[in-house]
Amino acid sequence: MAHAHDERTTGTAEGRELAAGERLAFVDQYPAAARVTRLCFGVSFTALLIGAVLGIIQALHRTNVFRGVVSSSDYYSVLTGHGVLLALFFTIFFLSGAFTWGTSRSLGRDLPNPRFSLAWFGLQLGGAVAVAAAIFGGFVGQIPFEADVLYTFYAPLQAHPLFYAGLAAWLVGTWLAGADWIRSYLRWRSDNSGERVPLQTFMVVTTMLMWYISTVGVAVEVLVFLLPLSLGLIESVDPLLTRTLFWYFGHPVVYFWLMPAYFAWYTILPKLAGGRLFSDPLARVVFVLFLILSTPVGFHHQYADPGVAEGFKFVAMTNTMFLLLPSFLTAFTVVASMEYGARQRGGSGYFGWMKALPWANPAFAGMALAGLMFAAGGFSGIVNAGMNINSLIHNTLWVPGHFHLTVGTASALTMMALSYWLYPQVTGKRLQLYGVAQVQPYVWFIGMALMSNAMHRAGLAGVPRRTAEPQYDQVSFEAALGSIPEMRLQIAVGGTLLTLGAALFAAVMLATWFADRGRGRLRVDSHLPEPISGPEDAPRILDNFKLWAAIAVVLVAIAYGFPIFSMVADGPFDPAAPPVPVGVVDAALGVFLG
């Protein structure tokens, strides 16, 4: 089996292709796109490593295993940094790089204006640095920055203006990145009027249309309410309105994290399995469904909010349940593609074919394990979506247990695994420390299995989330299975393994970055085999982006129009709540802790 030392592909079809002649590496074909991809990946990997360090500090502090790094008041700065760096910057910078690569590769053309591409990257980076400075300034008393507002940064908690200004700059950078990719698509379309949109470009365009629709909410929240509030230009805000605007964005961003994973599972994982994508039309249907259904679901995060009518919460619940359809379609299509590849490699039997898959290939293993974890996360997500049963796990450790399976594994592990295959293509260097890369996905998988399992069980026992001190004298938590001390230990061990997994990944990437390119062509092939059922089998209406975007806007208007109108009709700042500086929260916490 050909998995020798780095990026060599597996499977008989790839073997024949390499025998027929090697292709140029992506960096040689599209140098401008490769440069932007490298830059985005560099920021993404840096955010991952810093976020992982913050994560283990948080896990050890909260479980009372080791509390010598930060105080309980500074814990919330750690929690904010962990959430923002990983959920926003690690994921979105990686998406920016992967989509730059996918657009150029699938359209067969380099970036239309490399300076513009570097400009949106610089804007994203500048915004991210400003946000990080505001968060980490909270650890230094001499610096007047603080942003202990968590990843869910809605009012009345208030951060330093630098935090909100950085978020705004970063968000505009993502908009410009989408405009860059869509411009490449439009130029390709003008030259290929009768052709079907290449699948990877189709995925990029639908994802960005979803992003433009969903980020309107957070843009209004930050620019109209939170930034003026932090600057003292207004005295108060309506917390319910800002919370609603955040969750209008807050759930679609989950799919924005997941889109690079779906992008890889559909277009790259079948190749790594030694086969081909089972169905191009089903992949297009899935992305269209995400475009039209991902935004009008945010009220399922607000089931406990009395200011939102029950009927609109019910609409959000039903829309959320409809989102199970693209997930089920993905499970069928991706597993069918993997099975096809395994049988091409000689696998047989109802389940025996799985042994023929290239589990020693870190790119394949990471993506396959991430998909398995995502299936588990989907089941726990059904509980989150139900109006009645959600009350059992609301604001408990069940919730971070769920999203560590989705963004923490389905997205993160897929991104790391994809990097083992893609990073050499955009650097022109052989992947280094291949043995470390082979181990890393399994370390991450085991760590997440331990931590998320304990979090889910602790949530069922009522253990709260977002608190530095979950041990209350007046409350005892009774677990249905296991014990609370056992769960704390399992979370600590799992978090340690996850940090180790992040460190192993960073070591592989750094070693590859500093390696010499060497002489001759690198045996890296970005060619993706044609699907079994190709785009010619898909209805042309699927390529009508204007139609699907219009339907998405109508569904958003139905789900959010009346509730937001009702909130604004009473005055956008009424019922008013003054800002709550983080220092006040820290002082109150200090009194509570004695």
Side-chain angles (χ1 to χ4, degrees):
M1 179 172 62
H3 59 265
H5 200 75
D6 58 289
E7 318 78 22
R8 298 182 190 179
T9 55
T10 58
T12 57
E14 289 302 311
R16 289 193 298 270
E17 186 173 277
L18 287 175
E22 295 178 357
R23 297 172 182 267
L24 286 173
F26 181 85
V27 65
D28 298 317
Q29 292 179 290
Y30 311 108
R35 182 187 183 191
V36 173
T37 302
R38 290 195 305 270
L39 291 171
C40 290
F41 280 5
V43 178
S44 174
F45 301 158
T46 301
L48 171 64
L49 190 59
I50 297 173
V53 172
L54 295 176
I56 189 60
I57 293 173
Q58 176 187 334
L60 296 180
H61 183 98
R62 180 190 167 84
T63 56
N64 211 26
V65 172
F66 180 70
R67 292 186 163 224
V69 180
V70 296
S71 64
S72 288
S73 59
D74 285 338
Y75 172 89
Y76 298 98
S77 292
V78 173
L79 184 56
T80 303
H82 177 71
V84 171
L85 287 176
L86 294 183
L88 292 182
F89 299 150
F90 162 58
T91 55
I92 308 306
F93 274 100
F94 187 91
L95 177 145
S96 298
F99 278 12
T100 298
W101 167 80
T103 302
S104 291
R105 193 215 65 83
S106 61
L107 297 179
R109 55 182 65 198
D110 210 343
L111 298 174
N113 187 336
R115 290 186 178 180
F116 179 79
S117 302
L118 290 174
W120 61 250
F121 166 76
L123 191 58
Q124 284 192 42
L125 177 60
V129 169
V131 170
I135 294 172
F136 290 110
F139 294 111
V140 183
Q142 293 78 12
I143 299 179
F145 298 160
E146 57 184 0
D148 298 358
V149 291
L150 312 186
Y151 158 70
T152 52
F153 46 82
Y154 40 73
L157 291 180
Q158 177 183 308
H160 190 274
L162 185 65
F163 179 82
Y164 301 119
L167 282 175
W170 168 80
L171 184 60
V172 173
T174 66
W175 290 347
L176 296 178
D180 200 11
W181 304 323
I182 292 174
R183 180 171 62 168
S184 294
Y185 157 69
L186 293 175
R187 291 190 175 189
W188 174 89
R189 173 55 75 198
S190 67
D191 297 333
N192 301 270
S193 58
E195 298 292 327
R196 299 303 300 270
V197 184
L199 181 57
Q200 286 188 323
T201 298
F202 181 92
M203 293 174 169
V204 170
V205 174
T206 50
T207 301
M208 289 311 302
L209 290 175
M210 180 195 75
W211 184 247
Y212 287 133
I213 294 170
S214 64
T215 51
V216 170
V218 74
V220 172
E221 180 202 13
V222 169
L223 295 177
V224 177
F225 296 102
L226 300 184
L227 182 58
L229 183 70
S230 66
L231 291 171
L233 301 178
I234 58 177
E235 296 181 354
S236 60
V237 296
D238 178 358
L240 178 62
L241 179 57
T242 63
R243 181 175 168 86
T244 300
L245 290 172
F246 177 86
W247 285 120
Y248 171 90
F249 153 83
H251 195 81
V253 76
V254 172
Y255 298 104
F256 204 65
W257 301 331
L258 287 169
M259 288 304 98
Y262 278 78
F263 176 86
W265 294 345
Y266 275 110
T267 65
I268 299 165
L269 184 57
K271 170 196 175 81
L272 297 176
R276 297 185 287 163
L277 175 63
F278 182 75
S279 174
D280 176 291
L282 280 180
R284 294 173 192 261
V285 168
V286 165
F287 273 74
V288 168
L289 288 173
F290 278 129
L291 168 60
I292 65 178
L293 294 175
S294 61
T295 303
V297 299
F299 281 131
H300 84 233
H301 290 270
Q302 297 179 256
Y303 287 151
D305 289 6
V308 180
E310 293 295 308
F312 289 100
K313 296 176 183 177
F314 180 80
V315 170
M317 181 185 72
T318 55
N319 286 340
T320 306
M321 295 304 178
F322 281 131
L323 276 169
L324 293 173
L325 177 58
S327 297
F328 285 140
L329 289 175
T330 296
F332 168 78
T333 308
V334 173
V335 172
S337 303
M338 291 168 56
E339 181 179 356
Y340 175 82
R343 295 190 184 279
Q344 290 292 103
R345 299 165 59 87
S348 61
Y350 285 114
F351 300 103
W353 57 267
M354 290 188 288
K355 295 186 294 184
L357 292 169
W359 295 105
N361 183 332
F364 171 84
M367 291 188 202
L369 293 173
L372 182 62
M373 277 291 192
F374 182 59
F379 287 117
S380 65
I382 295 174
V383 175
N384 301 350
M387 289 181 65
N388 295 329
I389 198 169
N390 177 276
S391 61
L392 297 176
I393 51 86
H394 178 69
N395 267 342
T396 70
L397 268 185
W398 173 285
V399 178
H402 163 72
F403 60 68
H404 276 87
L405 290 179
T406 53
V407 64
T409 306
S411 294
L413 186 54
T414 297
M415 292 174 183
M416 290 183 279
L418 175 58
S419 301
Y420 294 139
W421 181 79
L422 182 54
Y423 196 61
Q425 297 185 39
V426 297
T427 60
K429 302 174 182 180
R430 291 186 179 277
L431 192 71
Q432 303 298 303
L433 305 179
Y434 191 78
V436 174
Q438 287 180 300
V439 172
Q440 187 270 336
Y442 296 96
V443 172
W444 189 277
F445 181 83
I446 294 171
M448 190 61 75
L450 292 172
M451 189 176 79
S452 65
N453 170 273
M455 283 182 166
H456 279 91
R457 289 189 291 122
L460 292 176
V463 177
R465 65 174 177 141
R466 290 173 164 166
T467 56
E469 304 292 336
Q471 301 83 26
Y472 303 139
D473 293 337
Q474 66 273 30
V475 177
S476 61
F477 302 109
E478 297 183 4
L481 180 64
S483 65
I484 298 299
E486 170 264 323
M487 294 175 193
R488 291 177 188 159
L489 179 60
Q490 193 170 327
I491 290 172
V493 172
T496 302
L497 288 175
L498 288 170
T499 307
L500 174 61
L504 294 177
F505 172 75
V508 174
M509 292 297 104
L510 282 173
T512 304
W513 174 259
F514 288 111
D516 293 330
R517 182 166 183 181
R519 298 179 180 179
R521 293 181 178 179
L522 181 66
R523 296 187 67 182
V524 177
D525 182 15
S526 62
H527 171 72
L528 301 177
E530 294 298 321
I532 298 173
S533 176
E536 67 279 358
D537 297 326
R540 284 192 171 270
I541 196 173
L542 289 176
D543 292 354
N544 190 337
F545 298 120
K546 294 180 180 179
L547 172 64
W548 305 121
I551 293 175
V553 171
V554 169
L555 291 178
V556 167
I558 294 172
Y560 276 96
F562 184 78
I564 291 182
F565 174 80
S566 299
M567 297 174 197
V568 175
D570 294 333
F573 306 103
D574 296 313
V580 180
V582 176
V584 174
V585 178
D586 290 345
L589 180 64
V591 173
F592 174 76
L593 297 177

